Each structure stands twice: as C-alpha cells, then as structure tokens.
C-alpha cells in the first residue's frame, strides 16, 4: 500500500486523520502466538523468576523434542555445558532457535528488557515473523518517506502561509477557545514542524532531534516513512524535545529540523541553548535578553559589576522564577534591588548549560588560537573558530559581548575592564570537554584571554 497522508491545520472541522501504511501492522497480527510448554514435574533449584516453562538441565535435542515442531512453542532450560546459564528454546520457521537468556530484574536476550518471559517471546515472534516476511520491504522503507513528500509539503505550506498571514492582521488573543484547543491537540509533531518551518517569524537555527528509545502504548506509525512500528516494547524512538515518533532506522534519515515543543521543555536553566531558543522562537535565550536588559537599565555603573556576587539564595530564587514563569519572570528592582543578584543569575544560566556557549567541539580550537603570539594572526584565528559555533550559540555570544563592551565603557564607575570581565566569564562561557581540574587550571589564562579579545574586538569579530 503506497499512499501518503495529509493534514489540515486551519481548524478542527477541516482536520483529516492521517492514512498510514498497514502492511507491517497486518503482519504483526499474523505472527505466531507464544505457546508455553509446561514441565510436568517440579524442577529443583528453579530460579524464582522463572515459571513452569523451566525444564531444568536438558540437552538441545531434548528441548527440540519437547517443542514438538509447534510454531511459537517455547521452553527454558539450563545449559548442560555451562551450569548456571539459561537458554530460551523457541520454535520458529520449522526450526528450534536457542537464545542465551539473562535476568537483571527484567528478562532479556538482547537490548530490549521485559517484565515477563511471555512478553519477551511475544515480541521476539513478532520481530522474527516481520523481518522474515518483509525483509526487502523494510530495507526500502526510507526510500520514499512521507516526511518531505512534495505534495504534502506544498499543500501544507500554502495553508500554513494563509493561516499565518491572517493571524498577522489580527490582534493577539489572550484566551484560547475549546475549539482551538481541539484543533491544536490533533496536530502531530510532523505538522508542527512543517508549520513552524514556514513561519516568517521563526529563527531557523538547525537543531538535531533528541531521539530516545520509546515504548508506545497501542498501535503507532512512523512519522517519517508512515509504516507501522512493530513489537511490544521499544518499537521506535521519540524526540524528547518535539515529540517526533519514528523507527530507529528512520531516525538516521530525519533532517536536523527539530522544532521543540514548549510543553516538553520543563525548565529554562540546564536546558540546551538551541533547544530553548527554538522552543520560544527567539534569537537568544530569553533569560539572557531579560537579564541584560535589566542590568543595562540600572546597573552599568555598579562597582564590581559581575565580579561582586549576590546572595546565593536570591540567585536561586531568580533561577526558579525563570524556570516557573519563563519570560514573565519579574526581576525588577522592586523584587531584587541588588543588581548583583541579576548578574549572578545570568552567570549561573551560562554555567548550567549542558553544552557551554563556546561549545566543547570548538574549545580546543579557541585555546589554540589564544596561544598564537602575533596579535593579528590570533584575532584572525579567533574569528575563524567563531564561525564554527552553532548559530544560536554564536548569536548569544555576540549579544553578550556587545553588552560586556558597554560594561567596559563605564569602567570609571564600575572598575570592570575587558581583562577583569575575561577572568569572570572565561570559565563561565567555556569548559574543556573532559572533566579535568588540571586542564581547567592550565587553560584559565587562555579562557580569560579569549573573552577579553571578544569584548575588545566585538565590532570586528561579529
């Protein structure tokens, strides 16, 4: 069945449910069912996590005889050659298959782990049956994906474009009706991605999907190839940032176009920088914009700006406010009169990033650039490495350096020059890939120098 699906996102009434390819689903329904062969006698020393399907120490030949040529029949046995090691003997395809069986609280013979032997065998029979019957079909699943289907994409682009142009001419609504909720809930991650991709206001930073193995409850279809995701557990992967569901093999072909869903972003601090800006559809993390705006409004002349620390408890309060309220967090002077609390919260945000603003991939290149003795060559080397930063990281660093340059322009009041700020922000913005105290201590002067160069030459480098 070679057909594609289409979504409409204009309103709930126009919504059309997708049509998925059903061949693999039909095969799963046809797969042999597990048949447990019970041991008629009580087996001594039977592991407590096995049931009556355990037959003790028997040979492969005896196991084969017990299975009786019945498809899906299975037993468990202890190895004659290796006592204490256990084997699943399973009848499939007119032969007996033997698998080394393990238990660590769950049962497994490979990557998947199961609560029961019955589930393990059920999943195994489904996989064996589908991969036997549809090997060629599976190998070609990714060759004609619906993900970038020209008919689907064109139609969707036109409808989204009309929807967006209409919304631009209307005042922003503060209340969302029940009908609007219904329409939105029906939009899959695939449609969200396409809709956001063609939004004129969207900052089109490239972001890889954060795929993790996922167990789907009930039938699910791959949003890349439109085929059924077979098995009982771990049938595929889900992007934890945008919710895209695909086969593991299809995930290798999905473009780096993740559009994070705000509902899936649990916090602001400790969140990947690119993920956060794409989720909020901003150029930079909103915490950076909000904090810098507040600091420039009332703190540029504050003595020891960024060097003097605010109270740790109050800084944590600001962090919690951003995590809880996002861009609505109140960090005004009425709530936090000490500007050092805001500078502390901004520094903490940078320190908490899982990937620093100056990324692990570029760290050693920046350090090498800092070691160049000739000033002009060093500046050129720094500029070349800057071009390697991910766009969201580059834009955040650029904006921060413009701000820090303003701080240095008030040096006569705040006593903070580019070198002082380099000492503060060096280890905040860049960390070595390996967690080595020795490396960190050795590189501190180069970290300071890099930030100092970026501040002093921000108009040239960015």
């Amino acid at each position: 069945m070679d057909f594609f699906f289409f979504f409409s996102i204009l309103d709930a009434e126009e919504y059309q449910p997708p049509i998925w390819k059903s061949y693999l689903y039909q095969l799963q329904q046809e797969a042999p069912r597990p048949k447990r062969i019970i041991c008629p006698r009580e087996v001594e020393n039977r592991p407590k996590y096995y049931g009556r399907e355990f037959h003790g120490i028997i040979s492969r030949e005896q196991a084969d005889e017990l299975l009786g040529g019945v498809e899906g029949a299975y037993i468990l046995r202890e190895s004659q050659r290796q006592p204490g090691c256990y084997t699943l003997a399973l009848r499939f395809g007119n032969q007996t298959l033997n698998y080394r069986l393990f238990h660590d609280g769950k049962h497994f013979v490979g990557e998947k782990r199961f609560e029961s032997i019955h589930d393990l065998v059920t999943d195994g029979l489904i996989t064996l049956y589908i991969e036997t019957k549809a090997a060629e079909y599976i190998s070609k699943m990714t060759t004609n994906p619906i993900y970038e289907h020209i008919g689907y994409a064109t139609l969707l682009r036109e409808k989204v474009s009309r929807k967006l142009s209409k919304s631009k001419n209307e005042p922003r609504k503060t209340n969302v009706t029940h009908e609007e909720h219904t329409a939105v809930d029906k939009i899959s991650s695939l449609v969200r991605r396409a809709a956001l991709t063609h939004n004129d206001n969207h900052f089109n930073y490239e972001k890889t999907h954060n795929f993790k193995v996922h167990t789907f409850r009930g039938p699910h279809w791959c949003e890349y190839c439109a085929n059924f995701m077979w098995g009982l557990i771990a049938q595929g992967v889900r992007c934890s940032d945008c919710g895209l569901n695909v086969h593991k093999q299809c995930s290798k072909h999905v473009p780096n176009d993740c559009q994070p869903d705000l509902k899936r972003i649990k916090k602001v601090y400790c969140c990947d920088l690119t993920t956060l800006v794409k989720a909020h559809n901003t150029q930079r993390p909103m915490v950076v914009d909000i904090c810098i705006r507040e600091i420039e409004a009332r703190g540029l002349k504050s003595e020891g700006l960024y060097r003097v620390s605010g109270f740790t408890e109050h800084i944590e309060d600001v962090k919690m406010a951003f995590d809880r309220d996002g861009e609505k967090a109140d960090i005004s002077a009425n709530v936090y009169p000490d500007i050092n609390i805001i500078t502390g919260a901004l520094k903490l945000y940078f320190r908490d990033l899982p990937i620093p603003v100056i990324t692990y991939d570029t760290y050693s290149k920046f350090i090498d650039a800092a070691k160049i003795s000739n000033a002009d060559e060093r500046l050129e080397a720094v500029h070349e490495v800057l071009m390697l930063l991910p766009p969201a990281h580059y834009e955040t660093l650029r904006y921060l350096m413009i701000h820090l340059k303003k701080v240095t322009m008030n040096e006569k009041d705040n006593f903070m020059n580019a070198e002082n700020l380099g000492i503060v922000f060096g280890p905040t913005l860049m960390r070595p890939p390996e967690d080595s105290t020795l490396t960190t201590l050795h590189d501190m002067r180069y970290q300071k120098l890099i930030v100092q160069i970026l501040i002093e030459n921000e108009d040239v480098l960015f």
Side-chain angles (χ1 to χ4, degrees), residues 319-345:
K319 173 183 176 179
M320 289 174 61
F322 276 115
D323 283 341
R324 181 184 64 248
D325 304 325
E327 59 188 13
K328 295 180 181 178
D330 185 0
I331 61 169
S332 64
N334 293 331
V335 184
Y336 301 104
D338 182 4
I339 198 64
N340 297 310
I341 294 171
I342 310 306
T343 60

Side-chain angles (χ1 to χ4, degrees), residues 94-122:
N94 297 319
Q95 59 179 323
T96 299
L97 307 175
N98 291 277
Y99 297 94
R100 179 78 176 273
L101 191 58
F102 301 92
H103 183 269
D104 63 355
K106 292 189 177 182
H107 304 279
F108 62 99
V109 297
E111 292 182 356
K112 293 185 178 183
R113 283 165 162 72
F114 299 84
E115 296 289 345
S116 69
I117 293 293
H118 180 83
D119 286 350
L120 184 154
V121 175
T122 302

Side-chain angles (χ1 to χ4, degrees), residues 83-154:
C85 295
Y86 304 100
T87 299
L88 166 66
L90 173 65
R91 193 73 184 174
F92 178 81
N94 297 319
Q95 59 179 323
T96 299
L97 307 175
N98 291 277
Y99 297 94
R100 179 78 176 273
L101 191 58
F102 301 92
H103 183 269
D104 63 355
K106 292 189 177 182
H107 304 279
F108 62 99
V109 297
E111 292 182 356
K112 293 185 178 183
R113 283 165 162 72
F114 299 84
E115 296 289 345
S116 69
I117 293 293
H118 180 83
D119 286 350
L120 184 154
V121 175
T122 302
D123 186 86
L125 287 169
I126 290 169
T127 301
L128 287 168
Y129 188 77
I130 289 178
E131 292 182 353
T132 300
K133 293 283 187 179
E136 185 177 358
Y137 182 91
I138 292 171
S139 69
K140 296 179 179 178
M141 282 195 312
T142 60
T143 58
N144 186 30
I146 60 164
Y147 195 75
E148 297 292 352
H149 195 290
I150 186 66
Y152 153 75
T154 304

